Amino acid sequence: MALTEQELRSLDYEPDTGGHFGDYGGRYVSETLMAALSELDQNYQKLKNDPDFQGEFDADLASFVGRPSPLYHAERWSKAIGGAQIYFKREDLNHTGAHKVNNTIGQALLAKYSGKPRVIAETGAGQHGVASATVAARLGLECVVYMGADDIERQSPNVYRMKLLGAEVVPVESGSRTLKDALNEAMRDWVTNVDDTFYIIGTVAGPAPYPQIVRDFNAVVGREVKWQSKELFGQYPDALVACVGGGSNAIGLFYPFLKDTEVAIYGVEAAGHGLSTRQHAAPLCSGRPGVLHGAKTYLMDNNDGQIAHTHSVSAGLDYPGVGPEHAYLKDIGRASYVGATDEEALHAFHEVSQVEGIIPALETAHALAYTKTLAATMRPDQTVVINMSGRGDKDIFTVAKLEGISLT
Amino acid sequence: MSSYRIQQRMDALSAIGRKALIPYIVAGDPTPSVTVPAMHAMVEAGADIIELGMPFSDPFADGPVNQRGAERAIAGGTTLRGVLDTVSEFRQNDQQTPVVLMGYLNPVIAMGETAFCEACGESGVDGLLIVDMPPEEEGSLVQEAKDRGLDLIYLAAPTTTDDRLATIGQATSGYLYYVSLKGITGSSKLDTSEVKERIEHIRQHVSVPICVGFGIRTAEDAAAISSTADGSIVGTVLVSQVESLTNDPAKIPEALQSILKPMREAMDASA
């Protein structure tokens, strides 16, 4: 199914009117959600070209988030690896500490323009919940965040942050008590309260038009890298690397470069204890196509089609599905998807903290782990841009615990 | 090959002025052995069609009660193949009562659309309701199902537009499942006069019988709904009853009857 380079250059990389990326995506939802999704789609298609809406979005990205985020040359780390020059796109410096806020500002503005006073969100690591609570506070919207009970335990600082920001955090005890269950619960809330509620989905998964909306709001990342890379080293990077859970930071970096086929693209999934163990969260590397949370995509399930319990050291990657556009990019051969294990990610977490003075999020550490392997195979005159999608402050408790250190 | 039992049953009911009582339980909840006796017991209590849930790990259109039912069934070892075996076993003693399988698409994809529809035909399944497969996303499953005489039942919601009602009306066969309120299965607020108004409107777009579910809990609800609809679908209140008897599953068939019998009586009295 892989396409030729010429074919890859000529695609427009937009979903069809039903929200399909090739065979993937679409709107596999109960009829009870259909009206809400088409209303959202109509609003979005109208607002995405509305100068007032876009102007407000851009202004908030500049003054509230602090964009553009820098493109930073990780010189010492590049030298230590001895291959390509590695650059970090510093999404970790955004307000709230990750790329997630790009999307939540966009969606909260959609809620405002659609006249919905209440927003809900699901969260895994808590980053999307914090980003949603933040923009809800900023815009004066009521905010409810659904979070798996296990994740609440793993990410207690973020839970407290959300509460400080005035959001209600609802623990989800059903299923595997992680991100996928939080998503189920948020959809239930939405379908019940659709008249006054906007559902801010945190990743490029879910039914159409969400994968497109979330991608478009995060694409600011890749657009900035385009001009920043020209400014810093005179051309586009040779390779892009980003971690992939649902895949929003990755698609945000990749999307503006999809037609530039000279740029190699790598998505890094959570290989957990190893891709051969089943204890991982890498549907693109070792799952198969199916339907989950309203979209056809690669996912992890058992022989009977029941969704698998996943494992990753990072809560933000611990999800059995993936955004449908990634499934499409994999099949047509525009992007390569690889895995990094817990151990490799933790190693990169420490190394980058000590060599570059930047503590990365555990999610991001997966991308760093693969970058190390990739850069070592490249020449020093080549460049790799990695999406430093989040900072690691939220993860220090997890890492300390793994090392048997008590911080309390 | 199915004998279109659903249409025959709906026609027969219509001829005698009776409305359909359609109970829903999750196959294999809490253990596989309880399901067939429960199905026979429900028929004895006045059920006209049975909706059997195919358990799925992530049933996001269902409420927590039905999700727990699915979780119990999966934990008890029920697979999609097991659900089909349950129907085969039921058919040994009941060739008349239509059985509709209700569930989500992913387990069907995992088995393969062709293999699944073949197995449905062989086990005596009459209809399929795939909650997360609206007409826009129908793939090979639809043709495979039609080839084997299986009815495809679709949902309509209070928010469904007239345009979509026409599409759904074209796609659905057997009956249309009207979701009586915004929300998930097992929600509590049911406004029967609003439902009545909607059903009259839907009939302008849809020629098949209309059965109503989500939110029917009591005999009064069932009677009120069936004064306008062609049938009442009762699910969460039954699954909840099953849940209360997980430690004593032998009592489940009789307990389900104790809920359905008053509904049957109230529906027939108001007919």
Side-chain angles (χ1 to χ4, degrees), chain A residues 116-184:
Chain A
K116 312 268 183 186
R118 177 174 181 266
V119 296
I120 56 171
E122 86 295 335
T123 196
Q127 293 301 91
H128 174 58
V130 168
S132 298
T134 300
V135 297
R138 155 108 176 74
L139 293 174
L141 304 167
E142 182 191 342
C143 180
V144 176
V145 179
Y146 291 92
M147 189 166 182
D150 282 3
D151 288 340
I152 285 183
E153 211 168 291
R154 287 195 275 193
Q155 304 287 346
S156 56
N158 271 343
V159 176
Y160 186 58
R161 275 186 197 104
M162 288 183 265
K163 289 178 179 166
L164 285 175
L165 291 159
E168 181 191 349
V169 181
V170 181
V172 177
E173 303 278 355
S174 59
S176 60
R177 299 156 40 111
T178 59
L179 177 58
K180 79 177 177 73
D181 310 287
L183 219 152
N184 288 332

Side-chain angles (χ1 to χ4, degrees), chain A residues 13 35 61 64 169 175 197 286 357 405:
Chain A
Y13 296 99
L61 289 183
F64 191 62
V169 181
T197 298
S286 74
I405 298 165

Side-chain angles (χ1 to χ4, degrees), chain A residues 20 26-32 34-35 175 180 184 187-188 191-192 195 288 290-291 293 301 304-307, chain B residues 55-60 62 67 71 74 79-80 106-107 109-110 131-132 134 137 155 159-160 164 168 182-184:
Chain A
H20 301 95
R27 216 170 270 174
Y28 289 85
V29 295
S30 160
E31 183 60 28
T32 48
M34 274 304 204
K180 79 177 177 73
N184 288 332
M187 284 219 198
R188 288 175 180 144
V191 72
T192 310
D195 290 337
R288 58 176 175 176
V291 169
H293 292 143
D301 61 356
D304 201 39
Q306 305 297 349
I307 303 305
Chain B
F56 180 51
S57 53
D58 292 77
F60 62 80
D62 282 288
Q67 171 160 13
E71 284 171 2
I74 293 167
T79 61
L80 189 49
N106 201 57
I109 293 173
V131 178
D132 55 353
E137 303 294 355
L155 300 170
T159 50
T160 302
R164 285 189 54 75
I168 293 166
K182 290 180 193 168
I184 50 178

Side-chain angles (χ1 to χ4, degrees), chain A residues 2-29:
Chain A
L3 302 180
T4 65
E5 185 164 341
Q6 199 182 354
E7 286 169 322
L8 290 172
R9 277 184 181 280
S10 64
L11 292 173
D12 75 350
Y13 296 99
E14 294 304 325
D16 69 14
T17 52
H20 301 95
F21 298 90
D23 287 341
Y24 301 103
R27 216 170 270 174
Y28 289 85
V29 295

